[in-house]
């Protein structure tokens, strides 16, 4: 599960280790992940530095010192590792793309529907233009959130995971946010009062800030030094807790399909509005 908090965690850890380091080597084993032929792609990256890393929705954008961007989409189950060049052979052989920064190498593994594209600033903007607003952007506030949700109809969960409506959330955090807001994932947005939308806003911020602080729910650590990734798993209140007691009301957490998505919720203390 890779959603906003997991990618923020990777961004933080990667930023501590690869910023302003020169790219010294590029190996591409699966060229379907990149957006030009391997030789040209590798040559353009060679010798460049990463100035900073940005997260947009569920993607990472590496800003290079020549104005270009590397846009990384890990899909549902992709994995990043940052290790010394001398890692175990399995990981080395399985890397779909490997980018070396001196004695460190960034390895991409297990990416099925994702990609890593080298783009101009304009191309990157175009590729990201279908994303909705960022929830943690400085420009996001209660008023903007209310305006956005007041215009939207349909199920709460469907709206939360809709990347063109708001960017970064998936199945997991949508359920945690709905629980925090005491709203059912199937609640209809058109039925929500102004007060409920305000509660939803604060719940969204609380869940995201807590999840980032504890390192998200990711399964795969960046490297052996990464003691952050996955720390939020012991703080979740509904995800994969079906059959257990709700910590707010004591009823049993349930699992169901909502809008054809696996959904965890408490039918007792989460309400329609
Ligand atoms: Zn409950």
């Amino acid at each position: 599960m890779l959603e906003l908090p997991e990618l923020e965690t990777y961004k933080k850890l990667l930023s501590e280790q690869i910023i302003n380091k020169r790219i010294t080597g590029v190996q591409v084993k699966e060229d379907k992940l990149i957006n030009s032929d391997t030789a040209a792609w590798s040559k353009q990256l060679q010798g460049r530095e990463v100035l900073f890393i940005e997260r947009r929705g569920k993607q990472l954008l590496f800003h290079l010192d020549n104005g270009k961007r590397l846009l990384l989409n890990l899909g549902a189950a992709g994995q990043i590792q940052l290790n010394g060049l001398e890692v175990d052979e399995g990981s080395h052989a399985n890397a779909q793309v490997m980018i070396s920064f001196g004695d460190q190498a960034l390895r991409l593994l297990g990416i099925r529907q994702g990609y890593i594209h080298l783009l101009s600033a304009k191309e990157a903007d175009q590729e990201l233009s279908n994303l909705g607003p960022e929830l943690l952007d400085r420009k996001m506030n209660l008023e903007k959130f209310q305006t956005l949700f007041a215009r939207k109809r349909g199920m709460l969960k469907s709206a939360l995971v809709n990347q063109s409506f708001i960017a970064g959330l998936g199945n997991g955090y949508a359920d945690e946010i709905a629980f925090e807001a005491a709203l059912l994932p199937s609640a209809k947005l058109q039925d929500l009062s102004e007060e409920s939308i305000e509660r939803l806003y604060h719940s969204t911020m609380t869940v995201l800030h807590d999840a980032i602080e504890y390192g998200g729910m990711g399964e795969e650590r960046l490297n052996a030094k990464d003691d952050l990734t996955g720390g939020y798993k012991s703080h979740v209140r509904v995800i994969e807790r079906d059959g257990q007691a709700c910590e707010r009301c004591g009823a049993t957490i349930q699992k169901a399909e909502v809008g054809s998505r696996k959904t965890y919720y408490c039918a007792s203390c989460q309400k329609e509005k």
Side-chain angles (χ1 to χ4, degrees):
M1 175 183 315
L2 291 165
E3 303 179 29
L4 188 158
E6 288 71 45
L7 289 159
E8 280 291 327
T9 303
Y10 277 147
K11 182 186 100 173
K12 177 178 186 287
L13 297 171
L14 286 171
S15 298
E16 288 167 2
Q17 295 177 69
I18 64 168
I19 295 302
N20 296 326
K21 296 228 176 100
R22 199 163 293 282
I23 294 174
T24 51
V26 179
Q27 282 176 41
V28 178
K29 207 172 125 191
E30 278 186 38
D31 60 7
K32 68 174 171 53
L33 263 53
I34 66 170
N35 58 329
S36 62
D37 78 86
T38 304
W41 196 84
S42 307
K43 196 178 165 199
Q44 285 196 74
L45 281 178
Q46 192 77 32
R48 303 271 57 95
E49 290 180 13
V50 177
L51 297 181
F52 65 97
I53 305 169
E54 185 187 0
R55 181 198 51 76
R56 280 291 277 122
K58 300 182 197 175
Q59 289 145 114
L60 292 179
L61 195 58
F62 297 76
H63 290 252
L64 304 179
D65 63 351
N66 60 352
K68 296 245 177 172
R69 319 269 195 261
L70 264 181
L71 181 61
L72 173 62
N73 182 323
L74 290 165
Q79 193 187 337
I80 316 178
Q81 289 180 359
L82 181 70
N83 277 307
L85 295 173
E86 312 298 326
V87 295
D88 69 276
E89 280 183 15
S91 174
H92 194 85
N94 291 333
Q96 296 165 303
V97 174
M98 181 167 110
I99 300 173
S100 309
F101 298 84
D103 57 1
Q104 295 263 82
L106 182 76
R107 292 175 174 84
L108 304 181
L109 304 105
I111 301 178
R112 280 180 222 109
Q113 284 108 24
Y115 52 82
I116 180 161
H117 285 175
L118 183 61
L119 304 167
S120 67
K122 199 176 161 191
E123 288 166 337
D125 285 347
Q126 271 167 2
E127 217 164 301
L128 297 168
S129 62
N130 56 348
L131 286 182
E134 287 288 337
L135 290 161
L136 300 181
D137 194 287
R138 254 179 255 136
K139 286 177 272 179
M140 177 58 74
N141 55 35
L142 173 60
E143 200 188 338
K144 288 228 166 75
F145 189 92
Q146 279 171 324
T147 308
L148 204 60
F149 275 82
R151 284 197 296 242
K152 187 82 180 163
R153 301 176 69 79
M155 269 195 295
L156 171 61
K157 178 147 185 178
S158 308
L160 291 175
V161 301
N162 178 346
Q163 299 306 295
S164 58
F165 178 58
I166 45 172
L169 302 178
N171 239 355
Y173 290 97
D175 288 357
E176 289 297 318
I177 289 167
F179 178 83
E180 176 74 24
L183 290 169
L184 285 167
S186 58
K188 300 278 185 300
L189 293 179
Q190 56 270 32
D191 295 341
L192 298 186
S193 62
E194 210 170 292
E195 191 191 18
S196 298
I197 295 178
E198 182 170 348
R199 201 167 68 239
L200 180 65
Y201 170 76
H202 293 299
S203 301
T204 302
M205 295 303 148
T206 300
V207 167
L208 290 180
H209 286 294
D210 285 356
I212 291 169
E213 186 185 335
Y214 290 110
M217 298 190 254
E219 300 289 336
E220 306 292 346
R221 295 190 300 160
L222 188 66
N223 52 36
K225 284 185 289 186
D226 171 6
D227 55 7
L228 195 55
T229 291
Y232 190 63
K233 277 189 283 189
S234 53
H235 296 266
V236 299
R237 300 194 289 172
V238 284
I239 295 297
E240 290 175 1
R241 292 197 68 241
D242 48 313
Q244 298 180 43
C246 167
E247 66 172 55
R248 191 162 49 206
C249 76
T252 306
I253 301 292
Q254 301 186 17
K255 180 178 162 184
E257 295 255 320
V258 173
S260 75
R261 290 169 174 273
K262 190 167 66 177
T263 297
Y264 298 91
Y265 64 100
C266 174
S268 168
C269 65
Q270 288 178 253
K271 306 289 184 192
E272 289 287 354
K273 51 179 97 174

